[in-house]
């Protein structure tokens, strides 16, 4: 019972926050051109997709198809986020492709670890996994430099707080839109300390770009 | 209320998974595997037969193998302590048999399960991966035993007719899905033989269980050491005209 209540609570807060933010643009019904839409996204993700708010993901350099799929999943409710769920009803599906391609084409800004000592421990997990609890190495799917591929998203340079939250969400099943449930399987085997460490290291990766 | 039920289920499932994983290190018997009432070695699952009919493609296999690299490593050489076996040069028929029998619950492998299950890897991808692995060279040192027991190990291997199925050079046999065992990691070989001996490797060949049962733990250590020190069978049999 308690759980259900909490969920509803979050949803209400989310809708409120989303509604407030989106208010000035609420009159924009139907698809609008990219240039008109961008300011809404830029408020949280940065004009060039390099969000400086640690909780908001950087979108720069991520695969365009991946970005579009996330927008679709926010809209259908397959991926839940109190904030994006409030924003996305304002955006017409026809705009997704242009938004995805725009942010995908932006140059990723380098990320930064908050705690360098933790990041060093995180490197071990990213490169080698955790053998005792059968956590596969992140590098196996996301590449050594975090650049990702068609099937596995880029993670290099991503904001620490965002990565921690996503891994916790995969672990709890709150985020369950990952293809083939692979990321859920990985995160379920990790504890919070390991998650924090690996997120710190992820932030330091460059994805092969300098 | 409705929401609460699946959550409770999820918790149950998660804790079950963790227990199963902890146990696996020390042997869980498969209800479908060796020792169960209707177990027939080599009785193909429908899926295994389907995959064997497909034509694999090494280039696609390389891409599909990404999801396996986190454990078996980018070069498919596994890890030296043998937790993750080497897969380079393994026969395609063996790779297909092992993966499909894990999927069917005949061989128990909860560590690998979510990454090799039906929802994660398609039949075609298994065919592709099996062909890809066969093309890979072994370049990294494999794990050997702590002492060189290869003389004793070789004698045990000969005396107990292991070569009948695994070959004089540990090369196995593609046509019969007998695994290549040469240059595999010591830790993996020893663990598997222990599971074969105590009946917990689900897909054991009954004839092999018969020959491994009487061996002592020291014998098993010696055989594992011997096999781990053999060269990759593809090197050993190159230019072997006999």
């Amino acid at each position: 019972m308690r759980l259900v209540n909490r969920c509803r609570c979050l949803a209400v807060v989310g809708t409120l926050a989303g509604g407030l933010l989106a208010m000035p643009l609420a009159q924009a019904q139907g698809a609008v051109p990219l240039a008109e839409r961008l300011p809404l996204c830029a408020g949280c993700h940065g004009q060039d997709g390099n969000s400086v708010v640690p909780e908001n993901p950087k979108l720069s350099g991520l695969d365009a198809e991946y970005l579009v799929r996330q927008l679709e999943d926010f809209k259908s409710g397959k991926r839940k986020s109190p904030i994006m769920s409030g924003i996305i009803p304002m955006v017409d599906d026809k705009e997704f492709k242009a938004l995805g391609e725009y942010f995908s084409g932006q140059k990723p800004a380098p990320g930064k670890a908050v705690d360098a000592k933790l990041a060093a421990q995180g490197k071990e997990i990213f490169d080698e996994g955790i053998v005792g609890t059968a956590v596969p190495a992140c590098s196996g799917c996301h590449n050594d430099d975090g650049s990702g591929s068609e099937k596995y998203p880029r993670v290099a340079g991503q904001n620490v707080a965002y990565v921690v939250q996503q891994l916790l969400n995969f672990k709890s099943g709150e985020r369950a839109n990952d293809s083939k449930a692979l990321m859920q399987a990985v995160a379920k085997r990790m504890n919070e300390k390991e998650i924090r460490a690996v997120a710190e290291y992820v932030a330091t990766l460059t994805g092969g770009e300098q | 209320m409705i929401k609460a039920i699946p959550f409770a289920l999820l918790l149950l499932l998660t804790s079950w998974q963790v227990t199963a994983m902890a146990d696996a290190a020390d042997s869980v018997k498969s209800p479908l595997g060796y020792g169960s009432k209707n177990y027939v070695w080599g009785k193909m699952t429908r899926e295994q037969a389907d995959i064997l009919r497909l034509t694999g493609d090494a280039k696609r296999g390389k891409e599909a193998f990404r999801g396996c690299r986190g454990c078996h490593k980018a070069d498919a050489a596994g890890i030296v302590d043998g937790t993750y076996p080497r897969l380079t040069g393994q026969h395609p028929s063996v790779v297909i048999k092992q993966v499909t029998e894990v999927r069917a619950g005949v061989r128990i492998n909860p560590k690998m399960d979510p990454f090799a299950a039906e929802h994660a890897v398609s039949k075609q991808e298994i065919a592709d991966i099996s062909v890809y692995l066969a093309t890979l060279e072994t370049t990294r040192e494999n794990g050997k035993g702590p002492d060189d027991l290869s003389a004793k190990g070789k004698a045990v291997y000969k005396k107990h007719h292991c070569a009948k199925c695994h070959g004089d050079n540990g090369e196995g046999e593609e046509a019969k899905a007998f695994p290549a065992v040469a240059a595999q990691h010591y830790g993996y070989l020893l663990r598997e033989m222990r599971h074969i001996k105590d009946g917990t490797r689900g897909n054991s060949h009954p004839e092999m269980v018969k020959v491994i049962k009487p061996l002592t733990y020291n014998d098993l250590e010696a055989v594992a050491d011997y096999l781990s020190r053999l060269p990759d069978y593809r090197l050993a049999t190159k230019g072997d005209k006999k």
Side-chain angles (χ1 to χ4, degrees):
Chain A
M1 244 1 227
R2 245 225 218 112
L3 232 144
V4 177
N5 277 337
R6 216 192 77 202
C7 290
R8 244 190 231 136
C9 216
L10 278 176
V12 171
V13 172
T15 318
L16 271 179
L20 282 176
L21 267 159
M23 206 86 88
L25 289 140
Q27 68 269 34
Q29 288 292 321
V32 305
L34 182 66
E36 271 174 54
R37 180 60 74 206
L38 279 177
L40 170 63
C41 317
C44 291
H45 293 287
Q47 179 68 25
D48 57 356
N50 288 311
S51 159
V52 289
V53 182
E55 286 77 16
N56 300 347
K58 290 180 183 168
L59 307 177
S60 51
L62 280 152
D63 183 67
E65 271 176 41
Y66 169 80
L67 291 172
V68 169
R69 194 152 41 76
Q70 302 312 307
L71 295 174
E72 288 166 356
D73 288 354
F74 284 130
K75 192 149 224 177
S76 71
K78 224 175 126 190
R79 178 171 172 187
K80 299 181 201 86
S81 151
I83 296 175
M84 281 304 291
S85 305
I87 301 290
I88 209 71
M90 315 301 307
V91 186
D92 194 283
D93 296 23
K94 291 193 209 72
E95 298 174 42
F96 290 176
K97 189 161 177 277
L99 285 165
E101 281 168 1
Y102 170 79
F103 284 115
S104 181
Q106 299 304 303
K107 191 171 157 51
K112 195 162 94 236
V114 182
D115 181 333
K117 217 175 109 202
L118 257 187
Q121 294 167 24
K123 178 177 168 48
E124 178 74 17
I125 297 174
F126 195 92
D127 291 343
E128 306 298 336
I130 306 169
V131 174
T133 44
V135 177
C138 321
S139 58
C141 292
H142 295 285
N143 287 347
D144 290 346
D145 58 6
S147 54
S149 71
E150 220 176 283
K151 279 199 210 151
Y152 307 109
R154 174 192 170 92
V155 290
Q158 189 54 279
N159 294 331
V160 177
Y162 172 74
V163 171
V164 168
Q165 191 57 52
Q166 294 309 303
L167 293 177
L168 291 173
N169 289 354
F170 283 126
K171 181 178 169 70
S172 69
E174 173 76 14
R175 180 169 173 188
N177 74 325
D178 50 330
S179 67
K180 304 170 177 181
L182 294 174
M183 235 1 254
Q184 291 180 74
V186 173
K188 278 185 172 46
R189 294 178 177 185
M190 300 179 77
N191 64 33
E192 198 170 328
K193 203 166 149 247
E194 292 156 354
I195 285 176
R196 288 192 184 281
V198 82
E200 293 281 352
Y201 179 65
V202 162
T204 68
L205 289 168
T206 60
E209 293 143 48
Q210 294 308 323
Chain B
M1 257 347 253
I2 302 168
K3 258 190 183 159
I5 292 163
F7 184 72
L9 243 174
L10 192 90
L11 268 178
L12 253 173
L13 279 174
T14 321
S15 56
W16 172 81
Q17 190 207 12
V18 171
T19 336
M21 205 153 89
D23 286 345
D26 265 292
S27 319
V28 182
K29 218 170 189 122
S30 161
L32 303 170
Y34 175 83
S36 70
K37 213 169 77 208
N38 296 320
Y39 179 69
V40 180
W41 184 85
K43 193 171 101 193
M44 273 192 213
T45 60
R46 173 80 185 272
E47 186 185 51
Q48 191 186 345
D50 286 351
I51 297 174
L52 285 169
R53 271 194 296 272
L54 297 172
T55 308
D57 176 86
K59 218 172 124 209
R60 283 198 312 253
K62 182 174 182 182
E63 208 34 52
F65 189 71
R66 270 174 174 276
C68 321
R69 302 193 309 185
C71 294
H72 293 286
K73 300 285 142 187
D75 59 1
I79 65 176
V80 169
D81 75 4
T83 306
Y84 304 130
R86 192 194 126 194
L87 302 174
T88 54
Q90 189 52 276
H91 304 296
S93 62
V94 172
V95 171
I96 292 167
K97 181 175 193 289
Q98 300 309 318
V99 174
T100 54
E101 289 182 345
V102 168
R103 281 152 67 123
V106 177
R107 183 176 177 189
I108 305 277
N109 187 353
K111 290 183 181 175
M112 178 161 104
D113 238 0
F115 303 98
E118 286 88 341
H119 71 264
V121 188
S122 71
K123 293 186 208 177
Q124 183 62 54
E125 283 175 322
I126 293 178
D128 296 340
I129 288 171
S130 74
V131 172
Y132 168 64
L133 291 173
T135 66
L136 295 181
E137 307 265 332
T138 306
T139 48
R140 223 163 7 103
E141 272 292 299
N142 64 313
K144 316 272 197 303
D147 304 300
D148 190 340
L149 305 172
S150 43
K152 178 178 174 193
K154 186 175 182 175
V156 175
Y157 189 82
K158 268 216 146 98
K159 182 165 168 222
H160 294 272
H161 313 293
C162 314
K164 189 183 145 205
C165 299
H166 293 291
D168 288 334
N169 299 306
E171 70 270 26
E173 193 177 338
E174 158 73 12
K176 295 190 174 150
F178 292 161
V181 285
Q184 180 58 274
H185 302 297
Y186 171 82
Y188 176 73
L189 291 166
L190 187 58
R191 187 170 75 241
E192 290 311 304
M193 286 191 286
R194 258 180 40 215
H195 289 180
I196 292 162
K197 183 176 155 78
D198 70 15
T200 52
R201 169 138 171 181
N203 58 358
S204 287
H205 197 303
E207 258 186 66
M208 172 165 64
V209 181
K210 234 182 265 163
V211 292
I212 287 193
K213 262 234 158 91
L215 302 186
T216 64
Y217 188 69
N218 287 343
D219 289 338
L220 297 184
E221 282 181 319
V223 176
D225 183 66
Y226 164 63
L227 295 174
S228 73
R229 288 175 202 273
L230 286 178
D232 184 323
Y233 72 90
R234 292 167 296 178
L235 303 174
T237 48
K238 209 176 258 173
D240 187 355
K241 288 272 145 56
K242 276 188 295 181

